[in-house]
Amino acid sequence: MATATTATTATAEPTTFGQAVIGPPGSGKTTYCLGMSTFLAGLGRRVAVVNLDPANEGTPYACAVDIGELVTLPDVMEALKLGPNGGLVYCMEYLEANLDWLRDRLAPLRGHYLLFDCPGQVELCTHHGALRSVFAQLARWGFRLTAAHLVDSHYCTDPAKFISVLCTSLSTMLHVELPHVNILSKMDLIEQFGKLAFNLDYYTEVLDLSYLLDHLASDPFFRHYRQLNEKLVQLIEDYSLVSFIPLNIQDKESVQRVLQAVDKANGYCFGVAEQRSLEAMMSAAVGADFHFTSTLGIQEKYLQSPEEEAEEQEDMHL
């Protein structure tokens, strides 16, 4: 472990754009960083991936900066007799106390598009302040980041889990304090866990959630908690902040739609790095049919229509 120092002084550094990739364990953050970095390199952007997950060993991408050089989760767990959750919290606090180390490692990457692969512990993005402090310091150094918050799309198949995901996403948006894009990952696998009760746009646009309450009411267990679920749904709808973009990281069109939303959120699309035309900038700024076309395209690719489902059942009977 390195010695603790603190960096808080702001300087007039040139703006560097990037993404802070966050989300629960297993949501596909590392796979996203690999796929997105490959896609960005294909567009001609100079891209670098920064691993901020001290539990992330053997990453499939080349790390330009690796927190493992500063602190690792196994070392912390062994030295301080902590479990994995407490160990991750300590590692992020240690990073917060050694921001000079991070600044020195990032200095040669000015002008690159950065992807920060962050730890998957949910509490770090909803309650604890260390990771938020790191993001805030990066902003003071001139790093303009968008939080790309990944959520496994299979939660859409269970109304109770989807309401939980909405609460987690809302809490993360309010706590992290970055421009924010919520992403439903692994869309190509969504129906392996069951059929969706509604069209995909119901989940991506977070439409009238009272229909989900009706579905929950049919379950004897959740029937006893209807008032609690109503209050949670009311809270989500009162803020009216959460929506999702569907993503299959292996589909270039899907990745492009996510990148368009991210570039709009952090302002990259209004820069001169790729000499965009005024028409292209206005298209990104307005994006009138963006969510509709992205959701419709994903639904046609990965979800069966009622007619296709009926045909499949008919074939099985024959």
Side-chain angles (χ1 to χ4, degrees):
M1 299 182 187
T3 56
T5 55
T6 304
T8 56
T9 305
T11 59
E13 298 281 3
T15 300
T16 299
F17 294 91
Q19 303 177 33
V21 184
I22 58 178
S27 57
K29 296 183 295 298
T30 298
T31 303
Y32 175 90
C33 288
L34 175 62
M36 183 59 76
S37 62
T38 303
F39 185 79
L40 290 168
L43 292 178
R45 297 191 195 181
R46 291 197 301 162
V47 60
V49 184
V50 178
N51 177 36
L52 292 185
D53 186 355
N56 205 356
E57 299 178 353
T59 55
Y61 49 75
C63 291
V65 179
D66 188 356
I67 193 177
E69 299 174 7
L70 177 71
V71 61
T72 64
L73 182 60
D75 288 346
V76 169
M77 292 173 62
E78 182 179 352
L80 301 179
K81 308 303 180 187
L82 294 172
N85 290 340
L88 275 173
V89 169
Y90 180 89
C91 289
M92 290 300 101
E93 291 176 344
Y94 196 80
L95 175 63
E96 182 186 11
N98 286 273
L99 287 173
D100 279 341
W101 174 88
L102 182 61
R103 184 175 188 176
D104 291 343
R105 296 301 187 278
L106 293 176
L109 301 178
R110 288 289 180 177
H112 288 68
Y113 189 97
L114 301 182
L115 298 172
F116 291 85
D117 191 356
C118 299
Q121 188 176 351
V122 175
E123 291 82 0
L124 291 172
C125 293
T126 58
H127 299 84
H128 198 266
L131 194 58
R132 178 178 62 182
S133 297
V134 172
F135 292 153
Q137 185 59 58
L138 287 170
R140 287 191 285 270
W141 290 338
F143 292 88
R144 189 172 296 175
L145 303 180
T146 293
H149 180 231
L150 272 65
V151 175
D152 201 318
S153 61
H154 85 263
Y155 290 125
C156 296
T157 61
D158 186 321
K161 290 180 180 178
F162 185 65
I163 290 176
S164 298
V165 161
L166 292 174
C167 292
T168 302
S169 299
L170 178 59
S171 180
T172 300
M173 294 177 76
L174 297 176
H175 182 77
V176 170
E177 298 180 349
L178 285 176
H180 204 96
V181 174
N182 291 305
I183 300 167
L184 286 177
S185 62
K186 307 179 186 177
M187 278 304 304
D188 52 322
L189 305 177
I190 185 170
E191 287 205 328
Q192 290 187 10
F193 300 91
K195 298 292 183 183
L196 296 183
F198 308 101
N199 286 338
L200 184 59
D201 61 343
Y202 176 85
Y203 301 93
T204 57
E205 299 302 320
V206 190
L207 302 177
D208 189 351
L209 295 177
S210 62
Y211 293 104
L212 283 183
L213 292 176
D214 294 337
H215 271 260
L216 287 174
S218 63
D219 187 310
F221 176 79
F222 289 107
R223 191 179 302 136
H224 298 293
Y225 300 97
R226 183 176 179 90
Q227 286 187 325
L228 172 62
N229 290 325
E230 285 176 351
K231 294 301 181 182
L232 291 174
V233 164
Q234 181 182 345
L235 177 68
I236 295 164
E237 292 183 333
D238 284 349
Y239 273 97
S240 191
L241 289 175
V242 184
S243 62
F244 296 94
I245 299 175
L247 170 69
N248 171 16
I249 196 63
Q250 298 177 1
D251 182 352
K252 290 183 179 180
E253 291 183 7
S254 178
V255 177
Q256 175 63 46
R257 295 186 187 106
V258 170
L259 183 59
Q260 181 181 358
V262 169
D263 285 350
K264 176 183 173 183
N266 63 21
Y268 181 90
C269 65
F270 303 107
V272 296
E274 293 175 7
Q275 298 298 321
R276 290 163 186 76
S277 66
L278 178 62
E279 181 181 356
M281 290 200 301
M282 289 301 294
S283 175
V286 177
D289 62 347
F290 170 71
H291 287 296
F292 176 77
T293 55
S294 65
T295 304
L296 183 61
I298 292 289
Q299 181 161 319
E300 289 176 348
K301 278 189 178 182
Y302 303 116
L303 303 183
Q304 278 189 326
S305 66
E307 294 78 9
E308 290 172 334
E309 191 173 343
E311 280 184 27
E312 185 176 305
Q313 291 179 350
E314 186 176 340
D315 291 340
M316 290 175 62
H317 287 305
L318 292 176

